[in-house]
Amino acid sequence: MIMMLKIHKKFLEKAEQYRRWGYRNSFNPYAVRYIFVLPDDSKYPGYAYFRDTSDRKYDGNNLIMESIGAEYELRGNYYCFDTEEGETFRLVKYKGREEGKSYKRYNLTADEMYAAFNYGNVELEKLDVVCAEVKKYLNNGTRFSGEVISEGFVVGHSDGTWLYLKNEKRRIKSNGVRIIGTVAEGKEQELRDFIKSYYDSVSAADKNARDLRGEVEKLESIERQARKLLSCVLSERFVNICQGEIEALNKEISDILLKKEMSAEDFEKIIKERFLINQ
């Protein structure tokens, strides 16, 4: 499964061209990499993450510096990199190195990387695990900014002021964040799986309804053509068949969406009963 590693541009120390040896002693004098440095208040002060990039352009043999990341990796304020589930990322000591001294290297997951860059030295494992309802708002600089684009239940960590999620943190008393309760000990992964299963079923229901609507549109097109037939008897027969099928499909669509909405109404109640304390 493809995931996303996001690093804010403020952590970019520099992007540089360098010479790289590769597979079977291949040599690339035109390799380019980012150097992202961890903040001083992180768990890894002085460490950096080196990331090669192909999102750059050359003018002859000269690297165009402003082209680095410009086409697809820099999105707004974040550098965004596709990553495979389970992939790890190496941090190496970069600043404050002493000659002749060896330093430990760290291999972090994408979630751990985001926490390292953005959560300072907060130890998430020592915070309460909570369930919250979170809304996300459009922020594109247009008159539509501020509109809710998604909302749903999530599992994160809380220190009472901030809600720490996998790829963002939100102030608890801000708009769009509602803490449902504290997750019972040992129930975190089970709740994450339950939430994922629910939203997967919602997505499947939406897709099923869309597919059926496509079939309805096809039948409506056939019905319109049938009304143009020269034979009134034949035309009426086709129209009746189409109308019957359309009615049946529309009922199926309604049933699918009704079941989805009924499940949504009880979703929070089920979460509270099965997974939470201190509601």
Side-chain angles (χ1 to χ4, degrees):
M1 181 174 65
I2 299 296
M3 304 176 67
M4 182 72 69
L5 173 64
K6 295 170 58 179
I7 303 178
H8 199 283
K9 63 182 182 182
K10 68 182 178 182
F11 299 119
L12 180 66
E13 178 79 2
K14 64 178 179 178
E16 64 179 9
Q17 179 180 346
Y18 76 108
R19 300 177 177 182
R20 182 183 67 199
W21 290 96
Y23 182 66
R24 291 185 176 179
N25 292 324
S26 62
F27 179 65
N28 181 6
Y30 301 109
V32 178
R33 66 187 177 189
Y34 301 106
I35 303 177
F36 296 101
V37 176
L38 276 294
D40 292 336
D41 66 345
S42 73
K43 293 182 181 179
Y44 313 97
Y47 276 76
Y49 170 56
F50 293 75
R51 174 95 185 193
D52 276 39
T53 178
S54 57
D55 186 7
R56 76 287 187 275
K57 295 180 179 178
Y58 278 87
D59 181 8
N61 293 330
N62 299 315
L63 175 64
I64 304 174
M65 295 301 297
E66 58 269 23
S67 74
I68 302 175
E71 187 171 346
Y72 55 86
E73 287 181 338
L74 181 58
R75 306 175 193 175
N77 291 324
Y78 286 87
Y79 286 93
C80 300
F81 309 106
D82 288 336
T83 174
E84 294 290 336
E85 185 175 12
E87 185 177 350
T88 59
F89 308 89
R90 175 168 292 186
L91 299 181
V92 298
K93 186 69 172 176
Y94 180 69
K95 291 188 173 182
R97 293 184 65 97
E98 297 179 18
E99 187 175 352
K101 183 178 178 179
S102 60
Y103 294 89
K104 182 177 179 179
R105 297 186 175 191
Y106 298 91
N107 293 308
L108 307 184
T109 65
D111 293 344
E112 290 170 336
M113 284 283 283
Y114 187 88
F117 276 103
N118 297 284
Y119 296 164
N121 53 14
V122 173
E123 297 183 68
L124 295 181
E125 62 275 8
K126 294 184 178 180
L127 302 181
D128 286 339
V129 179
V130 299
C131 181
E133 184 182 37
V134 175
K135 296 179 181 179
K136 293 189 177 182
Y137 300 94
L138 185 64
N139 182 21
N140 61 358
T142 71
R143 63 188 179 90
F144 299 106
S145 290
E147 291 187 0
V148 176
I149 56 176
S150 67
E151 57 184 309
F153 293 94
V154 297
V155 178
H157 293 80
S158 170
D159 59 6
T161 301
W162 294 96
L163 173 66
Y164 297 91
L165 302 173
K166 285 187 174 183
N167 56 6
E168 66 175 336
K169 69 176 182 179
R170 298 280 295 271
R171 188 174 290 276
I172 288 175
K173 294 184 178 180
S174 64
N175 289 335
V177 177
R178 181 170 67 94
I179 301 297
I180 307 301
T182 303
V183 179
E185 186 175 356
K187 291 287 187 176
E188 178 182 353
Q189 189 56 51
E190 187 180 348
L191 176 55
R192 289 186 187 276
D193 293 341
F194 178 71
I195 292 174
K196 181 179 183 302
S197 176
Y198 169 75
Y199 287 122
D200 284 348
S201 68
V202 169
S203 296
D206 286 336
K207 181 180 184 304
N208 194 7
R210 286 196 303 271
D211 292 343
L212 290 175
R213 288 194 189 99
E215 295 301 311
V216 169
E217 291 174 359
K218 293 175 184 177
L219 286 169
E220 289 175 339
S221 176
I222 294 172
E223 180 188 0
R224 289 192 296 271
Q225 296 301 318
R227 293 182 184 276
K228 299 177 183 179
L229 290 174
L230 294 177
S231 169
C232 293
V233 175
L234 189 58
S235 175
E236 183 177 356
R237 186 181 302 167
F238 275 118
V239 168
N240 290 337
I241 292 172
C242 289
Q243 287 179 339
E245 290 295 326
I246 290 171
E247 183 179 348
L249 287 174
N250 280 329
K251 184 180 185 306
E252 188 174 351
I253 292 170
S254 296
D255 289 344
I256 290 171
L257 297 180
L258 180 61
K259 289 178 182 178
K260 185 187 77 169
E261 293 303 320
M262 289 174 63
S263 298
E265 290 175 3
D266 295 332
F267 190 46
E268 180 176 336
K269 180 180 178 182
I270 295 172
I271 288 176
K272 287 180 176 179
E273 291 176 348
R274 290 176 53 183
F275 302 101
L276 304 186
I277 58 174
N278 300 331
Q279 300 170 26

